Amino acid sequence: MAGSQTTGITEKRGRFGRMRVLRSAVLLGLCVCALRCAEGTKLSNIVLILTDDQDVVLGGMVSVERTRWLSVSMGSLSLDCFTVTPLCCPSRSSVLSGKYPHNHGVRNNSLNGNCSSADWQRTQEPQAFPVYLQKRSYQTFFAGKYLNQYGKPQAGGVSHVPPGWHQWHGLVGNSQYYNYTLSVNGKEEKHGDQYKTDYLTDLIVDRSLRFLDQRRYPFFMMLAPPAPHSPWTSAPQYQNTFGNIKAPRDGSFNKPGGKDKHWLLRQPHNPMTNSSINFLDNAFRRRWQTLLSVDDLVEKVVQKLEDLKQLNDTYIFYTSDHGYHTGQFSLPIDKRQLYEFDIRVPLLVRGPGIKPKQTLQAPVLNIDLGPTFLDIAGVNVSQTPMDGQSFLPFMAPSLRNGSVRPYFLVEHTGEGHSDQDPACPSLGPGLSQCFPDCVCEDAFNNTYACVRTLSDYNLQYCEFADSESFVEVYNLTSDPHQLENVVKKVDPTLLQTMNQRLIKLQSCLGESCRVYKQ
């Protein structure tokens, strides 16, 4: 795995020699699953740091060394954290609403796909978790990327500020590092290409620290930096870092999809051309470079909370909207796929009552974040329309009887051009996201729904909505890299069980989505 590449990191980052040792109260506890609210009536503060396209399977957390250092001394790591859909706008909509995509209706990153559309604003934003927190007297602050179409004229323009936010610094459109527009409490604010005033990750830090200096408690802050999303523009001081780093070569890297995988995985060139490999290696290195500024963000926020004597009363969550791949099954770069590298995400948590070095062997989803925030704030989650469930009980010693989710849903609606992708017109209609050598990462028939289970079986079962009625099944205990589709080898009774679970989840709503196992 990518952990073998850490040897080149420290020598490239002399700044760690200057790292001051924060006392134990400052340490950011690391855990992928559960937490505990402080006893008593005082409401805890909450900080959510949501990165863009940061994986955990392929070493996406390796470069944020300071964040991990702040984390590991008082926390624990579990890898069982997933997004319910591996694409930016649908995933972020799931974080905000606490709902599966089939319930919030966001299908892709386009306005036609319901991303930040008038329908989303009318039906989903009024039920998003910030609205509930504001009603509980939380001071709420947002800075960074919201939804891919946010702020566009067809989406209400910069004057639209989603309900639930006291202070709003929302990026117009998709991730950028320079030359972007913000909506600052509904007013347009344009930025150029000067590092000191415009680099978006650092601007988010500066404005969040200014908000914290106002000393209004309890508070909720959501910080959504652009990293490590393309165009992968790092801060000037980090542009020469990780010069020899390459994407991990193990697992499914540069492996053919094979005839037992869906059509989209059968079309990449294998082995990959040198141009594709150089392209993805460059992307991998630059992604890590952009994350160094996120590493700075984490430390500065933690230090400010310590200076204000608020750290012990604050939960800090660090996660991503979905994973990412660089060369797996010969797909150069992107997300959108059903495999572990695209659906697993990092989740780091520290806060009141979290004991050190704990590991939770139960899946947590990004739709569980909102319910967990509400649980911390004392809101009865069962009275909300959310599909997710709070994972607050799992880490609290007094609440160990929390119900484990035995299986869950992952869904994606494929997107393609009605005629042809402009980058590769020779391939015909129905494809999109075509990268070097005309390898395409998405298509209309890349529409699937999966059941992922970890409790009774370490299994993934996926059905595609296409003319092939394709099914993929993976035993992740014996095949963690999902190299072999075992649909023809699995007991038909088990396949029937997984199919019935899938049917149930695809029509679930609210409480019926919360599948429990004591």
Side-chain angles (χ1 to χ4, degrees), residues 149-347:
Q149 298 298 323
Y150 171 76
K152 302 291 183 66
Q154 306 94 319
V158 297
S159 63
H160 172 70
V161 176
W165 300 101
H166 289 103
Q167 292 195 30
W168 178 258
H169 303 260
L171 175 68
V172 173
N174 204 3
S175 284
Q176 293 289 330
Y177 299 81
Y178 294 109
N179 299 307
Y180 55 85
T181 299
L182 292 180
S183 169
V184 179
N185 299 320
K187 303 289 186 181
E188 183 179 80
E189 181 179 284
K190 290 188 173 294
H191 284 266
D193 58 3
Q194 300 302 304
Y195 171 68
K196 290 186 177 180
T197 57
D198 301 316
Y199 191 71
L200 183 55
T201 304
D202 289 0
L203 181 145
I204 291 170
V205 176
D206 293 343
R207 298 198 178 179
S208 65
L209 299 185
R210 194 183 310 166
F211 170 76
L212 291 174
D213 276 332
Q214 296 174 4
R215 293 174 171 79
R216 296 177 178 174
Y217 311 120
F219 64 78
F220 174 86
M221 289 203 315
M222 183 171 176
L223 311 180
H229 196 286
S230 61
W232 314 307
T233 308
S234 63
Q237 65 269 30
Y238 299 133
Q239 289 177 356
N240 296 318
T241 312
F242 308 131
N244 297 320
I245 291 296
K246 295 181 178 181
R249 271 17 183 201
D250 58 354
S252 57
F253 180 83
N254 206 7
K255 294 282 176 45
K259 62 182 181 180
D260 64 345
K261 283 187 168 56
H262 179 241
W263 175 84
L264 193 65
L265 270 292
R266 302 198 294 264
Q267 53 90 31
H269 303 286
N270 182 267
M272 286 185 288
T273 63
N274 288 335
S275 59
S276 284
I277 291 176
N278 291 336
F279 175 79
L280 70 87
D281 277 338
N282 180 58
F284 187 90
R285 180 172 54 255
R286 293 175 65 188
R287 280 164 52 82
W288 274 22
Q289 290 170 347
T290 65
L291 284 167
L292 300 184
S293 294
V294 178
D295 214 15
D296 293 335
L297 179 154
V298 172
E299 189 194 31
K300 289 177 180 178
V301 169
V302 170
Q303 183 62 57
K304 172 62 76 171
L305 290 169
E306 170 65 5
D307 293 343
L308 296 173
K309 303 188 186 312
Q310 287 295 311
L311 189 67
N312 289 340
D313 295 325
T314 302
Y315 287 102
I316 304 175
F317 296 73
Y318 180 108
T319 190
S320 174
D321 49 7
H322 48 72
Y324 204 74
H325 58 261
T326 47
Q328 283 59 50
F329 298 120
S330 301
L331 295 170
I333 61 163
D334 202 43
K335 46 270 186 176
R336 296 177 171 86
Q337 306 307 323
L338 58 91
Y339 308 103
E340 297 285 279
F341 42 74
D342 281 0
I343 66 173
R344 282 189 182 263
V345 294
L347 178 57

